[in-house]
């Protein structure tokens, strides 16, 4: 008989619906519980999404009393830490939405809880399932570029500022850095094999979010809408990283990997207010190299695919539970991503370069 995986969802807002729709497509998965702090919201969610096997709860602790295999954490960033640690401690595997946490310390505690409970902690970066992202990683890891010494990553939305919990530092941790910067960092770092960051020197600003001309919630906007950072990584690699939610420019340029034998360029997919290689939206991939003074440019065809990468991320979590595999996108790795965001905010506040310390998890 097929093993049925029983899932709970904590937080029943926008992204929770995407999780629920993905789980509903899987015949070997049952969503058995949904929790939301707003009384009645989980119940409404269950009705709207027609989750016939699910019970509603107004407190995630009550949901965790059930005998669940895994939990999707779909709360605003500020609640990722508490709900993840509680879920792991209750013996559930966790798929937490991005960004991992609000602070580096929280991310560290989440990994520690996962180790202590011997339960999987996976972070929801769906662009990892884009075959183009995988092709870029394979190319760089195959050594065709030689030693990569410089990476330029991050992209910009021209006009793409969210509101609500995303623009409050206490609730979100950071603005554009946490919301879309974490994807760009993951693209760069995952391609390189997640080298350790050593130092960061950063600048952030919020000229648009705090201006009522550009944001209707300007009076409560206290995060960055633009940031740039120079990050030294182990292995003699530097990462020039930039991100924006809003700017007077069409794009922040391509993503570049410069190696000793060749260079790789990824251009943003599309154009207009949402363009930018920050979430895996790759328009073109080209490789540049010189052979005895002759410049050669090779177009690498962008893989056209029908994959629903969000579904793939949720499915990989389920299959990892079924096959007792380790986390597909391990919290232990994504702590590095969170440490860089933390370093960027510290460096920007202090106006100088700062060191990045990552604990060894054993
Ligand atoms: N992977 C993606 O493509 C993607 C896209 C959008 C958002 N996100 C991430 O998903 C998360 C949620 O974003 P959203 O847009 O769905 O937000 P949302 O505000 O629409 O929904 C969050 C829900 O969580 C509930 N909640 C808050 N604290 C809770 C707690 N302690 N226990 C239970 N429920 C709680 C809120 O009441 C709300 O209903 C954020 O971290 C965001 O960064 C990911």
């Amino acid at each position: 008989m097929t093993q049925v995986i029983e899932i709970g969802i904590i937080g029943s807002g926008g992204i929770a619906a995407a999780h629920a729709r993905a789980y509903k497509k899987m015949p070997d998965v049952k969503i058995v519980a949904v929790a939301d702090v707003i009384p009645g919201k989980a119940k409404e969610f269950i009705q709207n999404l027609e989750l016939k096997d699910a019970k509603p709860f107004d407190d995630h602790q009550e949901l965790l009393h059930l005998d669940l295999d895994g939990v999707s954490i779909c709360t605003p960033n500020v609640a990722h830490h508490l709900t993840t640690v509680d879920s792991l401690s209750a013996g559930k595997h966790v798929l937490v939405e991005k960004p991992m946490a609000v602070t580096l310390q929280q991310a560290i505690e989440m990994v520690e809880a996962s180790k202590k409970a011997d339960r999987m902690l996976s972070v929801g970066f769906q662009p990892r399932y884009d075959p183009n992202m995988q092709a870029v990683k394979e190319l760089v890891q195959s050594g065709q570029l030689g030693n990569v010494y410089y990476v330029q990553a991050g992209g910009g939305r021209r006009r793409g500022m969210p509101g609500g919990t995303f623009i409050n530092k206490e609730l979100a941790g950071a603005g554009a850095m946490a919301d879309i910067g974490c994807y760009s960092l993951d693209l760069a770092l995952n391609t390189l094999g997640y080298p350790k960051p050593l130092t960061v020197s950063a600048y952030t600003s919020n000229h648009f979010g705090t201006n009522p001309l550009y944001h209707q919630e300007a009076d409560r906007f206290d995060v960055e809408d633009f940031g740039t950072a120079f990050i030294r990584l182990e292995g003699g690699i530097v990462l020039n990283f930039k991100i924006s939610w809003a700017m007077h420019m069409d794009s922040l340029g391509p993503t570049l990997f410069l190696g000793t034998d060749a260079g790789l360029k990824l251009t943003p997919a599309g154009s207009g207010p949402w363009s930018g290689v920050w979430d895996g939206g790759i328009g073109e991939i080209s490789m540049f190299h010189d052979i005895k003074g002759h410049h050669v440019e090779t177009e690498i065809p962008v893989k056209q695919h029908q994959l629903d990468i969000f579904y793939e991320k949720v499915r990989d979590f389920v299959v990892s539970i079924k096959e007792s595999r380790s986390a597909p996108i391990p919290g232990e790795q994504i702590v590095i991503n969170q440490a860089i965001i933390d370093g960027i905010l510290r460096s920007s506040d202090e106006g100088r370069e700062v060191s990045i310390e990552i604990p060894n998890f054993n």
Side-chain angles (χ1 to χ4, degrees), residues 196-208:
K196 273 202 177 136
L198 306 172
T199 61
V200 53
S201 184
Y203 163 89
T204 62
S205 61
N206 58 9
H207 298 299
F208 295 87

Side-chain angles (χ1 to χ4, degrees), residues 9-19 35-39 41-42 57-61 73-80 82-83 96-100 124-127 164-166 171 178-179 182-183 310 313:
I9 298 179
I10 301 181
S12 63
I15 210 63
H19 282 249
D36 199 290
V37 277
I38 298 178
K41 192 164 175 184
F57 296 96
D58 296 337
D59 180 342
H60 74 276
Q61 286 287 12
I73 306 282
C74 302
T75 68
N77 306 352
V78 68
H80 288 185
L82 176 72
T83 53
V96 63
E97 263 306 334
K98 49 53 64 176
M100 187 171 172
F125 286 131
Q126 67 272 9
T165 58
F166 288 80
L171 303 177
D179 181 34
C182 66
Y183 285 126
F310 201 96
K313 132 178 139 176

Side-chain angles (χ1 to χ4, degrees), residues 151-155 187-188 253-257 264-268 277-278:
V151 180
Q152 170 178 305
L187 184 158
T255 291
L256 305 176
F257 291 87
L264 195 66
K265 177 159 92 172
L266 323 179
T267 65
V277 183
W278 47 268

Side-chain angles (χ1 to χ4, degrees), residues 21 24 41-51:
R21 285 192 200 99
K24 274 183 79 176
K41 192 164 175 184
K43 191 172 175 197
E44 203 182 318
F45 180 88
I46 287 169
Q47 282 163 357
N48 291 343
L49 282 137
E50 299 175 356
L51 307 176

